[in-house]
Amino acid sequence: MKFGVLQFFSWPDRRVELETVYARAFERIGIMDQTGYDAVWLAEHHFSSYSICPSVHIMGTHVAARTKHLRIGTAVSLAAFYHPLRLAEEVALMDVLSEGRVNWGAGRGFDPTEFRVFGVPPQESADRFREAVEIVLEAWRNDRMSYEGKYWQFQDVEVLPKPHQKPHPPVWVAASSETAVRWAAEQGHTIMMDPHSSHPKIAEKRELYRSILEEHGHTITGRDIPMARLIAIAKTEDEAETVARNGARWMTGSYMQHATQRGAGPMNKDFGAKDDADPIERYVNEVVIHGTPESVADQLARLREEMFLDYLLCAPLSHESFMLFTEKVMPRLA
């Protein structure tokens, strides 16, 4: 099993200086660099204290300068909000400066505030995202490129620099809904899976992905499919449940309210939630992996079989959770 960390830069209630938020994250990333993690995956968000990281590319370049072994993933570059050629340049530059340690993850976003402020109609976001991914890949693969799409048109453009990795960094697309899973599979893209669906729902979507891949002449063999899971670990089961519950309260309070405003977020049918489900209880009972180190290791060993969990993209809900996972859980599963 491979391990990565979905790194947020959350600023709950602004209780500490923002510089402290970053310093704590960099301390954690330094530990990752020395303890066998595959990658840190940086989360891009805007206009919210949910995660103060408006540029995963600037942050990723800084992380690359502080590390030697860790791969730097974007989870995700919100491609629908970028000029796609600028996006291709920035990710390629990050790959050059990191000497080929970039994992590029792309997504379309969900927050209505972001769509409104950036002037992107939500109903256009999926098509804009797909065009952006196509353009970035064309820019990396070709000396010069031309493109005729619905939203973007270019003629004979040389995009520089080219990535350090050849022909380009490995690419993932975020796929939470069935529609997104189907499109990614049809195109042969590798997916990364969300931290909000229940374990059975993740397994169901992963099986759909495999079947659609094969229908279109692709194979799932050899692909790393990061599955993001919220993790709460403590010395006792009760303490871990408290961490899980507090994390669920944070998720529903600062994140879900934005997602559900436009009816396309993690609490709707795409994520396997019932309309009348208590969101906090749903997270604690169906989403968050919580318990003592021994219990969490056992749960992950079971999920490795039940949901094909070969790449755990963990989102620790406390610093203790991260440390106990690193010291007590990961060595049992690596």
Side-chain angles (χ1 to χ4, degrees):
M1 187 182 292
K2 286 187 177 180
F3 303 95
V5 170
L6 181 57
Q7 181 63 54
F8 295 97
F9 299 85
S10 58
W11 198 17
D13 302 322
R14 309 187 186 194
R15 292 191 297 263
V16 299
E17 295 295 324
L18 183 58
E19 290 78 6
T20 301
V21 171
Y22 295 135
R24 289 173 177 172
F26 296 144
E27 179 184 1
R28 180 183 293 185
I29 289 167
I31 293 170
M32 291 181 221
D33 193 44
Q34 300 299 320
T35 51
Y37 283 91
D38 173 64
V40 58
W41 296 78
L42 305 168
E44 176 180 333
H45 290 282
H46 302 268
F47 320 123
S48 168
S49 60
Y50 174 67
S51 183
I52 313 294
C53 185
S55 173
V56 288
H57 312 128
I58 291 176
M59 184 65 75
T61 301
H62 183 70
V63 168
R66 300 175 66 101
T67 56
K68 296 182 181 299
H69 312 290
L70 200 64
R71 294 189 65 80
I72 298 102
T74 62
V76 292
S77 302
L78 294 175
F81 300 145
Y82 286 84
H83 189 295
L85 295 186
R86 181 64 179 266
L87 180 58
E89 292 173 334
E90 290 190 3
V91 178
L93 180 60
M94 182 169 63
D95 196 49
V96 170
L97 295 177
S98 68
E99 298 182 334
R101 287 191 281 140
V102 168
N103 290 349
W104 187 50
R108 70 183 180 98
F110 72 90
D111 189 334
T113 300
E114 294 175 343
F115 287 112
R116 184 179 70 254
V117 174
F118 286 128
V120 175
Q123 63 272 20
E124 296 180 2
S125 63
D127 288 340
R128 285 182 175 273
F129 159 71
R130 293 169 183 177
E131 279 199 14
V133 171
E134 290 176 359
I135 291 166
V136 168
L137 293 176
E138 287 293 312
W140 288 343
R141 289 168 176 163
N142 298 285
D143 291 337
R144 308 184 73 88
M145 67 161 295
S146 297
Y147 185 86
E148 288 292 331
K150 181 178 180 180
Y151 299 104
W152 301 101
Q153 301 83 37
F154 312 109
Q155 294 295 324
D156 195 32
V157 179
E158 182 182 25
V159 178
L160 296 172
K162 301 301 182 190
H164 179 90
Q165 298 175 86
K166 303 303 179 187
H168 54 71
V171 175
W172 286 263
V173 296
S176 298
S177 69
E178 180 177 313
T179 300
V181 170
R182 287 183 176 276
W183 174 79
E186 290 167 359
Q187 301 301 312
H189 295 310
T190 304
I191 62 172
M192 56 196 317
M193 306 191 75
D194 69 90
H196 309 292
S197 299
S198 67
H199 309 321
K201 191 66 177 178
I202 290 288
E204 179 184 320
K205 288 188 284 192
R206 192 266 189 192
E207 179 60 16
L208 173 66
Y209 174 67
R210 182 199 60 76
S211 65
I212 301 298
L213 273 176
E214 292 177 355
E215 286 179 14
H216 288 78
H218 309 295
T219 179
I220 202 168
T221 302
R223 296 176 188 262
D224 286 333
I225 301 177
M227 296 179 177
R229 299 286 82 188
L230 301 166
I231 304 288
I233 310 176
K235 294 182 177 67
T236 69
E237 295 287 344
D238 287 345
E239 290 172 337
E241 183 174 338
T242 297
V243 174
R245 195 168 298 279
N246 289 339
R249 190 172 293 113
W250 166 66
M251 294 294 294
T252 57
S254 63
Y255 181 83
M256 294 307 162
Q257 62 182 347
H258 297 291
T260 53
Q261 284 173 13
R262 75 176 182 94
M267 297 310 296
N268 76 356
K269 62 182 177 60
D270 287 337
F271 287 74
K274 297 178 181 178
D275 292 338
D276 59 352
D278 180 288
I280 294 175
E281 292 303 314
R282 189 186 79 86
Y283 266 84
V284 173
N285 296 326
E286 302 179 22
V287 179
V288 183
I289 299 171
H290 59 86
T292 63
E294 296 75 20
S295 171
V296 167
D298 290 343
Q299 291 175 64
L300 290 171
R302 187 186 73 249
L303 292 173
R304 177 156 50 185
E305 303 301 322
E306 294 179 358
M307 56 188 277
F308 312 99
L309 180 59
D310 295 323
Y311 193 128
L312 174 63
L313 180 50
C314 61
L317 291 175
S318 69
H319 182 67
E320 183 184 27
S321 297
F322 168 73
M323 293 306 300
L324 287 173
F325 182 87
T326 302
E327 296 172 356
K328 304 289 187 181
V329 178
M330 194 165 70
R332 293 181 56 177
L333 298 169

